[in-house]
């Protein structure tokens, strides 16, 4: 076995790595891929005597806490032969002074066992990728007939949309006002940032989130925050419902998000909105 490393893999090597990722994802779809040259600090490669790529280990640049994420895949027929251990040994001069995180498909017991064997420990609850399909035939609804026209307060440079219909207990859940700011990107995607304020409360955000609307109709939702003093009053559920409605009108046909499986209130909210678990990602600390 021959081990080498490179700061920036060439195109031919990237194609080999992509082939290895596709091979791994055929049996474990949530298997992490290669982070990309821009994110990676150095990549180690293991080859057999014929030159076939057996495995790779990519180390991402550390963050402010000197924490690096690693991504690695071993060819199925080369597993349990010490290949990944050899790559980790080769990378040890770089990793020994850092904390390291590994991610793997939560449904891949073989990789989990391998991580435990090298001394890695679970970093916390599994991460879930959840998703929902939005009804294509309901891209526009009759808001004017069923929703109040003055339900949102306009502001410069942002879009205002009406609130959903239905009774709103004045004492338990204040009226919400939504603002949306959009940013377009060269690749055709758009970033939508949502801000909610509430009547009768001190100035400040009641809730906020963002969504990245990708070409093809998929929206990636995240950074969802609800003011601590407003939690448990239905603010998050209403804000989330209104964002989904707006994404549907903006052309999204599918919404995906990541959530900590141990975050029961968030998981409950997403499941009530029709989301289901698509993939499970386990994170290990080494």
């Amino acid at each position: 076995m021959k081990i080498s490393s490179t700061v920036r893999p060439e195109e031919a090597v990237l194609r080999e790595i992509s082939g290895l990722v596709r091979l791994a994802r055929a049996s474990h779809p949530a298997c992490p891929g290669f982070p990309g040259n821009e994110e990676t600090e150095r990549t180690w490669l293991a080859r057999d005597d014929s030159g076939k790529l057996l495995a790779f280990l990519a180390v991402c640049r550390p963050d402010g806490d000197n924490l690096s994420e690693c991504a690695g895949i071993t060819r199925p027929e080369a597993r349990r032969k010490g290949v990944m251990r050899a790559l980790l040994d080769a990378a040890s001069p770089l990793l020994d002074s850092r904390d390291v995180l590994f991610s793997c498909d939560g449904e891949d017991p073989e990789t989990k066992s391998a991580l435990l064997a090298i001394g890695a420990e679970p970093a916390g609850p599994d991460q879930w990728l959840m998703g929902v399909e939005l009804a294509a035939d309901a891209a526009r609804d009759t808001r004017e007939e069923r929703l109040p026209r003055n339900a949102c307060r306009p502001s410069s440079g942002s879009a205002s949309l009406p609130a959903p219909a239905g009774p709103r207990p004045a004492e338990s859940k204040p009226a919400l006002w939504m603002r949306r700011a959009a940013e377009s990107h060269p690749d055709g995607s758009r970033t939508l940032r949502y801000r909610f304020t509430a009547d009768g409360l001190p100035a400040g955000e009641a809730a906020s989130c963002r969504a990245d609307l990708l070409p093809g109709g998929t929206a990636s939702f995240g950074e969802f925050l609800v003011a601590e003093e407003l939690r448990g009053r239905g603010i998050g559920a209403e804000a989330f419902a209104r964002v989904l409605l707006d994404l549907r009108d903006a052309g999204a046909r599918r919404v995906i998000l990541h959530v900590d499986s141990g975050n029961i209130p968030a998981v409950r909210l997403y499941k009530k909105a029709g989301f289901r678990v698509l993939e499970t990602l386990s994170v290990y600390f080494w």
Side-chain angles (χ1 to χ4, degrees), residues 37-57:
N37 277 336
E38 297 305 319
E39 300 293 332
T40 304
E41 182 175 7
R42 183 169 285 273
T43 301
W44 280 261
L45 308 168
R47 300 180 181 275
D48 64 15
D49 292 338
S50 69
K52 178 192 289 186
L53 182 64
L54 299 177
F56 75 85
L57 175 68

Side-chain angles (χ1 to χ4, degrees), residues 66-141:
N66 207 32
L67 176 70
S68 280
E69 292 189 35
C70 288
I73 293 177
T74 302
R75 189 175 293 275
E77 63 269 25
R79 292 178 180 176
R80 299 184 180 179
K81 295 182 180 180
V83 177
M84 188 56 67
R85 177 76 259 185
L87 289 178
L88 287 169
D89 288 344
S92 61
L94 183 65
L95 298 178
D96 281 350
S97 61
R98 302 179 185 177
D99 295 323
V100 180
L101 287 180
F102 287 94
S103 299
C104 72
D105 188 328
E107 305 300 324
D108 183 358
E110 187 174 2
T111 299
K112 286 185 172 183
S113 296
L115 288 169
L116 292 173
I118 66 171
E121 299 179 351
D126 287 343
Q127 302 294 310
W128 283 347
L129 172 66
M130 303 184 73
V132 69
E133 301 290 334
L134 302 181
D137 60 349
R140 307 292 299 179
D141 54 35

Side-chain angles (χ1 to χ4, degrees), residues 111-182:
T111 299
K112 286 185 172 183
S113 296
L115 288 169
L116 292 173
I118 66 171
E121 299 179 351
D126 287 343
Q127 302 294 310
W128 283 347
L129 172 66
M130 303 184 73
V132 69
E133 301 290 334
L134 302 181
D137 60 349
R140 307 292 299 179
D141 54 35
T142 54
R143 294 183 186 180
E144 293 81 1
E145 297 177 5
R146 68 183 185 89
L147 302 177
R149 291 179 181 273
N150 63 345
C152 269
R153 185 176 298 153
S155 65
S156 176
S158 62
S160 297
L161 289 93
R168 179 188 289 111
E171 295 183 359
S172 61
K173 187 169 64 175
L176 282 182
W177 306 95
M178 185 177 90
R179 292 185 174 91
R180 184 195 72 192

Side-chain angles (χ1 to χ4, degrees), residues 13 35 59 80 107 142 156 215 222 257-258 268-269:
V13 175
V59 177
R80 299 184 180 179
E107 305 300 324
T142 54
S156 176
L257 56 85
H258 288 86
R268 185 182 296 119
L269 170 64

